[in-house]
Amino acid sequence: MSKVMSSLAVNTKIQSDFPVLSREVNGSKLVYLDSAATTQKPQCVIDAITHFYTNYNSNIHRSAHTLGAEASIAYDSARAKLAKFINAKHTSEVIFTKGCTEAINLVAYSWGRKHLKNGDEIILSEMEHHANIVPWQVVAKETGAIIKVVPVTVDGILDLRYYKDLLSEKTKLVSLIHVSNTLGTINPVKEIARLAKNYGAKVLIDGAQCGAAMPIDVQDIDADFYTLSGHKMYGPTGIGVLHAKKNLLEEMDPYQTGGGMIKLVDFNETSYADIPNKFEAGTPHISGAIGLGKAVDYIQELGWETILEIKQSLYQYGVNRLKNIDGIKLFGHKDEDTSVPVFSFAVDGVHPHDVATILDSMGIAVRAGHHCCQPLMRNFGVPATARASFSIYNTKEDVDVLVEGIKKCLEMFS
Amino acid sequence: MDLGELYQEIIIDHSKNPRNHVVLENYTHEAEGYNPLCGDKVHLYINMDNGIVEKISFQGCGCAISQASASILTQMASGKKLETIVDIGERFRDVLTNNSSNTDDFESLDALLGVKNYPMRIKCATLAWHTFTEAIGSCNKLHTGDKNE
Ligand SMILES: Cc1ncc(COP(=O)(O)O)c(C=O)c1O
């Protein structure tokens, strides 16, 4: 009993941390089920950004004045927080980017173009986000490398046997999504990375959906590259992280060039700054990094134990209620131990867009579309799905409201 | 929010039982409209004769609004003068996006006017009509080609 009370209290507190949740949408209380697209922001993150612009806005690493020093310290300390958050060996292995997309593009440009050769193979999977497909296609076209794809089974998981068969001496890179933004599947990335290493291949893990989902230990996973998206972990948009092993970053060429990433410039030659600055040309997103640092503080103050407990109970409750509705098809989710509460579904006879509009009329925000995963949609045989993705500020009541909404869709089109 | 205004019975009916949902055996013009944001598709087949839409049909997939709009378009256009349909299409887009209120001869198209209050769905409603214009674009080219010969 006391446990129930306390988890209720925790939930109420968390909800009150996110100011947007108290607004109404179309006459109903907002039920935000689109956290896989972007999470809402807690007041402390909003305040940290406002505080920067209100009290110590300045450029970093260039100005000797007090504001410049304060801004530089805050920016550097955000990097240190992120490094600790993912257990990076060195703080300098954390590069701030504008998001996961830019982090992957950076690797494709600075590592891929240098190291991939004609006939080399890149392994991706069918559940990749377009952000982890298109950059590799571009590099493959330039270098003559070949893309191989690990299929997704009907259970919504990677076909690991197929993956093992794909691996060979030709494999130079394995680039995979950690947690699927469409299916909620958690992939066994540590095992995947270990197998790739046997062939000397480099490994990139797209952790966009992971920052808010589970503790990340980049040394334990032992991938060469790991990417994060700030706005999907309670931080602001326009900021993300590339983690890469120090020796790799040191030998890679810069991604963009200009100010902030140099040691010495004359018109004949320029020597580049040490990492991480080498990969952060121009004025970075200072307030974004500070906001993301605060988001990491927020996650750590809540604690993974609490977060995982909330998400697991939402997952169990959600999957059971959704599975029991006649007239919907839930994609994936056969393997309940390895999923986060992200549900892609089709409602019989009702197109996902109509589902989203009908739910919106009840204040429920879901995403309808291909979720930037057109190859995966083809595997399912549908052009689009509706997706409800839950986060720590959601409740079982939100699941109930969603179920009511889906029933209303079925009724309207019956 | 009044959903009934958006999903009127006639819309649900057209989306569930689309009219002229075939590929014409003979057609003079066709075009496929696609909205990459939501994946709605409408493929129009038109048989034009002397400035008259003799026959028109469509294939496609997508939300109720996009498919009902295509179905209504084919129903309205059949047997009508090309310019009449072009005019209605232009005014339909104007009413949805520019606060115009000239809805003369809209017939069942009236049922789609509720979309006005759903800005995210306006593209769904206008897709078939844009596609019609595109198909006719190729028509005009053909006619000029004929004249030049
Ligand atoms: C799995 C996955 N990878 C990459 C991205 C792109 O991330 P960002 O928005 O930070 O560029 C997303 C977000 O849409 C995602 O879900």
Side-chain angles (χ1 to χ4, degrees), chain A residues 26 349 351 353-358 360-361 368-370 374 383-384 408 412-414, chain B residues 1 3 6-7 12 15-16 34 36-40 61-65 118 121 124:
Chain A
N26 297 321
H351 190 275
H353 276 140
D354 298 312
V355 172
T357 296
I358 296 165
D360 184 58
S361 76
H370 49 61
Q374 290 181 357
K408 182 166 176 183
M412 277 185 70
F413 278 76
S414 68
Chain B
M1 205 176 210
L3 270 183
L6 183 64
Y7 294 108
I12 305 243
S15 79
K16 287 168 80 174
Y34 177 56
L37 266 181
C38 44
D40 291 338
C61 61
C63 66
I65 305 297
Y118 295 80
R121 305 303 299 275
C124 309

Short mmCIF file of all heavy atoms in Angstrom, two decimals, chain A residues 26 349 351 353-358 360-361 368-370 374 383-384 408 412-414, chain B residues 1 3 6-7 12 15-16 34 36-40 61-65 118 121 124:
data_model
loop_
_atom_site.label_atom_id
_atom_site.label_comp_id
_atom_site.label_asym_id
_atom_site.label_seq_id
_atom_site.Cartn_x
_atom_site.Cartn_y
_atom_site.Cartn_z
N ASN A 26 -7.94 21.32 -26.95
CA ASN A 26 -9.29 21.05 -27.42
C ASN A 26 -10.25 20.70 -26.29
O ASN A 26 -11.04 19.77 -26.38
CB ASN A 26 -9.28 19.94 -28.48
CG ASN A 26 -8.48 20.37 -29.70
OD1 ASN A 26 -8.55 21.53 -30.11
ND2 ASN A 26 -7.70 19.46 -30.26
N GLY A 349 -9.49 -0.20 -40.56
CA GLY A 349 -10.41 0.66 -41.31
C GLY A 349 -10.24 2.14 -41.05
O GLY A 349 -11.02 2.95 -41.57
N HIS A 351 -7.39 5.21 -41.14
CA HIS A 351 -6.02 5.59 -41.49
C HIS A 351 -5.36 6.28 -40.29
O HIS A 351 -6.01 7.02 -39.55
CB HIS A 351 -6.06 6.52 -42.70
CG HIS A 351 -4.70 6.77 -43.29
ND1 HIS A 351 -3.87 7.75 -42.81
CD2 HIS A 351 -4.03 6.15 -44.30
CE1 HIS A 351 -2.74 7.73 -43.51
NE2 HIS A 351 -2.82 6.77 -44.42
N HIS A 353 -3.69 8.89 -39.93
CA HIS A 353 -3.91 10.33 -39.80
C HIS A 353 -5.25 10.67 -39.22
O HIS A 353 -5.40 11.64 -38.48
CB HIS A 353 -3.80 11.01 -41.16
CG HIS A 353 -2.38 11.28 -41.46
ND1 HIS A 353 -1.84 11.12 -42.68
CD2 HIS A 353 -1.39 11.67 -40.64
CE1 HIS A 353 -0.57 11.40 -42.61
NE2 HIS A 353 -0.27 11.71 -41.39
N ASP A 354 -6.22 9.87 -39.59
CA ASP A 354 -7.55 10.10 -39.02
C ASP A 354 -7.51 9.73 -37.54
O ASP A 354 -8.12 10.41 -36.72
CB ASP A 354 -8.59 9.30 -39.80
CG ASP A 354 -8.65 9.74 -41.27
OD1 ASP A 354 -8.72 10.96 -41.50
OD2 ASP A 354 -8.60 8.88 -42.16
N VAL A 355 -6.78 8.67 -37.21
CA VAL A 355 -6.62 8.29 -35.80
C VAL A 355 -6.02 9.47 -35.03
O VAL A 355 -6.54 9.87 -33.98
CB VAL A 355 -5.70 7.04 -35.66
CG1 VAL A 355 -5.37 6.78 -34.19
CG2 VAL A 355 -6.34 5.81 -36.29
N ALA A 356 -4.96 10.05 -35.59
CA ALA A 356 -4.29 11.15 -34.87
C ALA A 356 -5.21 12.35 -34.70
O ALA A 356 -5.21 13.00 -33.65
CB ALA A 356 -3.01 11.55 -35.61
N THR A 357 -6.01 12.65 -35.72
CA THR A 357 -6.92 13.80 -35.62
C THR A 357 -8.02 13.53 -34.60
O THR A 357 -8.36 14.41 -33.80
CB THR A 357 -7.54 14.11 -37.00
OG1 THR A 357 -6.50 14.49 -37.89
CG2 THR A 357 -8.54 15.24 -36.92
N ILE A 358 -8.56 12.33 -34.62
CA ILE A 358 -9.63 12.00 -33.67
C ILE A 358 -9.08 12.03 -32.24
O ILE A 358 -9.69 12.60 -31.33
CB ILE A 358 -10.25 10.62 -34.00
CG1 ILE A 358 -10.93 10.67 -35.36
CG2 ILE A 358 -11.24 10.19 -32.91
CD1 ILE A 358 -11.28 9.31 -35.96
N ASP A 360 -6.52 13.74 -31.21
CA ASP A 360 -6.20 15.13 -30.88
C ASP A 360 -7.44 15.88 -30.40
O ASP A 360 -7.36 16.75 -29.53
CB ASP A 360 -5.60 15.83 -32.11
CG ASP A 360 -5.17 17.25 -31.81
OD1 ASP A 360 -4.34 17.43 -30.89
OD2 ASP A 360 -5.66 18.19 -32.46
N SER A 361 -8.58 15.53 -30.95
CA SER A 361 -9.81 16.20 -30.52
C SER A 361 -10.10 15.88 -29.05
O SER A 361 -10.89 16.56 -28.41
CB SER A 361 -10.99 15.78 -31.40
OG SER A 361 -11.42 14.48 -31.04
N ALA A 368 1.40 10.23 -36.28
CA ALA A 368 0.96 9.35 -37.36
C ALA A 368 1.91 9.54 -38.51
O ALA A 368 2.27 10.67 -38.84
CB ALA A 368 -0.46 9.70 -37.80
N GLY A 369 2.34 8.46 -39.13
CA GLY A 369 3.23 8.61 -40.27
C GLY A 369 4.18 7.46 -40.36
O GLY A 369 3.93 6.39 -39.79
N HIS A 370 5.31 7.70 -41.07
CA HIS A 370 6.26 6.61 -41.25
C HIS A 370 7.39 6.68 -40.22
O HIS A 370 8.28 5.85 -40.21
CB HIS A 370 6.82 6.59 -42.67
CG HIS A 370 7.31 7.93 -43.14
ND1 HIS A 370 8.33 8.59 -42.51
CD2 HIS A 370 6.90 8.72 -44.15
CE1 HIS A 370 8.55 9.74 -43.14
NE2 HIS A 370 7.69 9.85 -44.13
N GLN A 374 10.84 4.50 -43.37
CA GLN A 374 10.09 3.94 -44.49
C GLN A 374 10.43 2.47 -44.78
O GLN A 374 9.53 1.69 -45.05
CB GLN A 374 10.27 4.82 -45.73
CG GLN A 374 9.54 6.15 -45.54
CD GLN A 374 9.64 7.07 -46.74
OE1 GLN A 374 10.30 6.76 -47.74
NE2 GLN A 374 9.01 8.23 -46.65
N PRO A 383 1.78 1.88 -45.18
CA PRO A 383 2.50 3.11 -45.49
C PRO A 383 2.81 3.92 -44.23
O PRO A 383 3.73 4.74 -44.19
CB PRO A 383 1.55 3.88 -46.40
CG PRO A 383 0.20 3.33 -46.13
CD PRO A 383 0.37 1.94 -45.60
N ALA A 384 2.04 3.68 -43.19
CA ALA A 384 2.17 4.50 -41.99
C ALA A 384 1.54 3.77 -40.81
O ALA A 384 0.76 2.83 -40.99
CB ALA A 384 1.48 5.84 -42.19
N LYS A 408 -13.10 5.07 -29.87
CA LYS A 408 -13.89 6.10 -30.55
C LYS A 408 -13.58 6.10 -32.06
O LYS A 408 -14.49 6.24 -32.88
CB LYS A 408 -13.57 7.48 -29.95
CG LYS A 408 -14.38 8.60 -30.55
CD LYS A 408 -14.29 9.85 -29.71
CE LYS A 408 -15.03 11.00 -30.39
NZ LYS A 408 -14.90 12.25 -29.64
N MET A 412 -16.37 5.56 -34.96
CA MET A 412 -16.68 6.57 -35.98
C MET A 412 -16.63 6.00 -37.38
O MET A 412 -17.35 6.44 -38.27
CB MET A 412 -15.70 7.74 -35.89
CG MET A 412 -16.09 8.74 -34.83
SD MET A 412 -14.99 10.15 -34.87
CE MET A 412 -15.49 10.92 -36.41
N PHE A 413 -15.76 5.03 -37.58
CA PHE A 413 -15.61 4.49 -38.94
C PHE A 413 -16.29 3.12 -39.09
O PHE A 413 -16.06 2.45 -40.07
CB PHE A 413 -14.12 4.39 -39.30
CG PHE A 413 -13.53 5.69 -39.77
CD1 PHE A 413 -13.23 6.70 -38.87
CD2 PHE A 413 -13.32 5.92 -41.12
CE1 PHE A 413 -12.70 7.89 -39.31
CE2 PHE A 413 -12.80 7.12 -41.57
CZ PHE A 413 -12.49 8.12 -40.65
N SER A 414 -17.09 2.75 -38.08
CA SER A 414 -17.68 1.40 -38.16
C SER A 414 -18.79 1.35 -39.21
O SER A 414 -19.38 2.34 -39.52
CB SER A 414 -18.24 1.00 -36.80
OG SER A 414 -19.35 1.81 -36.51
N MET B 1 -13.91 20.66 -29.61
CA MET B 1 -13.63 20.45 -31.04
C MET B 1 -14.73 19.53 -31.61
O MET B 1 -14.95 18.44 -31.08
CB MET B 1 -12.27 19.77 -31.16
CG MET B 1 -11.63 20.02 -32.48
SD MET B 1 -10.00 19.25 -32.42
CE MET B 1 -9.08 20.30 -33.50
N LEU B 3 -15.72 17.07 -34.01
CA LEU B 3 -15.21 16.15 -35.02
C LEU B 3 -16.21 15.89 -36.12
O LEU B 3 -15.86 15.61 -37.25
CB LEU B 3 -14.89 14.81 -34.36
CG LEU B 3 -13.50 14.61 -33.81
CD1 LEU B 3 -13.41 13.20 -33.28
CD2 LEU B 3 -12.46 14.84 -34.88
N LEU B 6 -15.77 17.64 -39.28
CA LEU B 6 -14.71 17.14 -40.16
C LEU B 6 -15.11 15.82 -40.82
O LEU B 6 -15.05 15.67 -42.03
CB LEU B 6 -13.42 16.95 -39.36
CG LEU B 6 -12.20 16.49 -40.16
CD1 LEU B 6 -11.79 17.54 -41.18
CD2 LEU B 6 -11.03 16.22 -39.21
N TYR B 7 -15.52 14.90 -39.96
CA TYR B 7 -15.85 13.56 -40.49
C TYR B 7 -17.36 13.44 -40.71
O TYR B 7 -18.03 12.67 -40.04
CB TYR B 7 -15.34 12.48 -39.55
CG TYR B 7 -13.84 12.43 -39.47
CD1 TYR B 7 -13.15 12.87 -38.35
CD2 TYR B 7 -13.10 11.96 -40.55
CE1 TYR B 7 -11.76 12.83 -38.29
CE2 TYR B 7 -11.70 11.92 -40.50
CZ TYR B 7 -11.05 12.35 -39.37
OH TYR B 7 -9.68 12.32 -39.32
N ILE B 12 -17.12 9.94 -44.62
CA ILE B 12 -16.86 8.55 -44.21
C ILE B 12 -17.36 7.61 -45.31
O ILE B 12 -16.68 6.64 -45.67
CB ILE B 12 -17.57 8.24 -42.87
CG1 ILE B 12 -17.14 9.27 -41.83
CG2 ILE B 12 -17.35 6.80 -42.45
CD1 ILE B 12 -16.39 8.78 -40.65
N SER B 15 -14.98 7.66 -48.23
CA SER B 15 -13.69 7.03 -47.95
C SER B 15 -13.83 5.51 -47.87
O SER B 15 -12.92 4.78 -48.24
CB SER B 15 -13.08 7.60 -46.67
OG SER B 15 -13.67 7.03 -45.53
N LYS B 16 -14.98 5.07 -47.39
CA LYS B 16 -15.16 3.61 -47.30
C LYS B 16 -15.62 2.99 -48.62
O LYS B 16 -15.30 1.85 -48.91
CB LYS B 16 -16.15 3.27 -46.18
CG LYS B 16 -15.52 3.50 -44.80
CD LYS B 16 -16.53 3.46 -43.70
CE LYS B 16 -16.91 2.04 -43.31
NZ LYS B 16 -17.80 2.06 -42.13
N TYR B 34 1.40 13.00 -54.51
CA TYR B 34 1.93 12.31 -53.35
C TYR B 34 2.30 13.35 -52.30
O TYR B 34 2.89 14.39 -52.61
CB TYR B 34 3.17 11.51 -53.77
CG TYR B 34 3.87 10.79 -52.64
CD1 TYR B 34 3.18 9.90 -51.83
CD2 TYR B 34 5.24 11.00 -52.40
CE1 TYR B 34 3.83 9.24 -50.79
CE2 TYR B 34 5.88 10.33 -51.37
CZ TYR B 34 5.18 9.45 -50.56
OH TYR B 34 5.81 8.80 -49.54
N PRO B 36 4.62 13.53 -49.28
CA PRO B 36 5.64 12.74 -48.59
C PRO B 36 5.56 12.87 -47.07
O PRO B 36 6.00 12.00 -46.34
CB PRO B 36 6.97 13.30 -49.09
CG PRO B 36 6.65 14.65 -49.65
CD PRO B 36 5.21 14.62 -50.08
N LEU B 37 4.95 13.95 -46.60
CA LEU B 37 4.85 14.13 -45.15
C LEU B 37 3.95 13.08 -44.53
O LEU B 37 4.26 12.52 -43.49
CB LEU B 37 4.31 15.52 -44.83
CG LEU B 37 5.37 16.56 -44.58
CD1 LEU B 37 4.73 17.89 -44.26
CD2 LEU B 37 6.28 16.11 -43.43
N CYS B 38 2.80 12.82 -45.17
CA CYS B 38 1.91 11.85 -44.54
C CYS B 38 1.72 10.61 -45.39
O CYS B 38 1.12 9.65 -44.95
CB CYS B 38 0.57 12.48 -44.20
SG CYS B 38 -0.10 13.50 -45.47
N GLY B 39 2.26 10.61 -46.60
CA GLY B 39 2.18 9.40 -47.40
C GLY B 39 0.90 9.24 -48.19
O GLY B 39 0.68 8.21 -48.81
N ASP B 40 0.03 10.25 -48.19
CA ASP B 40 -1.20 10.15 -48.99
C ASP B 40 -0.86 10.11 -50.47
O ASP B 40 0.00 10.86 -50.93
CB ASP B 40 -2.11 11.37 -48.76
CG ASP B 40 -2.71 11.37 -47.35
OD1 ASP B 40 -2.78 10.29 -46.74
OD2 ASP B 40 -3.12 12.45 -46.90
N CYS B 61 -4.13 5.71 -51.86
CA CYS B 61 -4.26 5.26 -50.49
C CYS B 61 -3.94 6.45 -49.60
O CYS B 61 -3.21 7.36 -50.01
CB CYS B 61 -3.33 4.10 -50.20
SG CYS B 61 -1.59 4.51 -50.42
N GLY B 62 -4.50 6.43 -48.43
CA GLY B 62 -4.26 7.55 -47.52
C GLY B 62 -5.43 7.73 -46.58
O GLY B 62 -6.29 6.85 -46.47
N CYS B 63 -5.44 8.88 -45.93
CA CYS B 63 -6.46 9.12 -44.91
C CYS B 63 -7.83 9.31 -45.54
O CYS B 63 -7.97 9.47 -46.76
CB CYS B 63 -6.08 10.34 -44.09
SG CYS B 63 -6.13 11.85 -45.05
N ALA B 64 -8.84 9.28 -44.70
CA ALA B 64 -10.23 9.41 -45.15
C ALA B 64 -10.43 10.70 -45.93
O ALA B 64 -11.13 10.74 -46.95
CB ALA B 64 -11.17 9.36 -43.95
N ILE B 65 -9.80 11.78 -45.45
CA ILE B 65 -10.01 13.08 -46.08
C ILE B 65 -9.44 13.09 -47.50
O ILE B 65 -10.10 13.53 -48.44
CB ILE B 65 -9.32 14.20 -45.24
CG1 ILE B 65 -9.79 14.17 -43.79
CG2 ILE B 65 -9.55 15.56 -45.86
CD1 ILE B 65 -11.24 14.42 -43.57
N TYR B 118 -8.88 22.60 -39.49
CA TYR B 118 -7.83 21.63 -39.15
C TYR B 118 -6.63 21.88 -40.06
O TYR B 118 -6.43 21.17 -41.04
CB TYR B 118 -8.34 20.20 -39.33
CG TYR B 118 -9.46 19.84 -38.39
CD1 TYR B 118 -10.77 20.25 -38.64
CD2 TYR B 118 -9.20 19.12 -37.23
CE1 TYR B 118 -11.80 19.93 -37.77
CE2 TYR B 118 -10.22 18.79 -36.36
CZ TYR B 118 -11.50 19.21 -36.63
OH TYR B 118 -12.51 18.89 -35.77
N ARG B 121 -4.64 19.31 -41.84
CA ARG B 121 -5.29 18.38 -42.75
C ARG B 121 -5.65 19.00 -44.10
O ARG B 121 -6.20 18.31 -44.97
CB ARG B 121 -6.55 17.79 -42.09
CG ARG B 121 -6.29 17.14 -40.74
CD ARG B 121 -5.24 16.02 -40.81
NE ARG B 121 -5.63 14.94 -41.69
CZ ARG B 121 -6.41 13.93 -41.30
NH1 ARG B 121 -6.84 13.86 -40.06
NH2 ARG B 121 -6.73 12.99 -42.15
N CYS B 124 -4.36 17.31 -47.13
CA CYS B 124 -5.03 16.05 -47.45
C CYS B 124 -6.23 16.33 -48.36
O CYS B 124 -6.45 15.63 -49.35
CB CYS B 124 -5.52 15.34 -46.18
SG CYS B 124 -4.28 15.17 -44.89
#
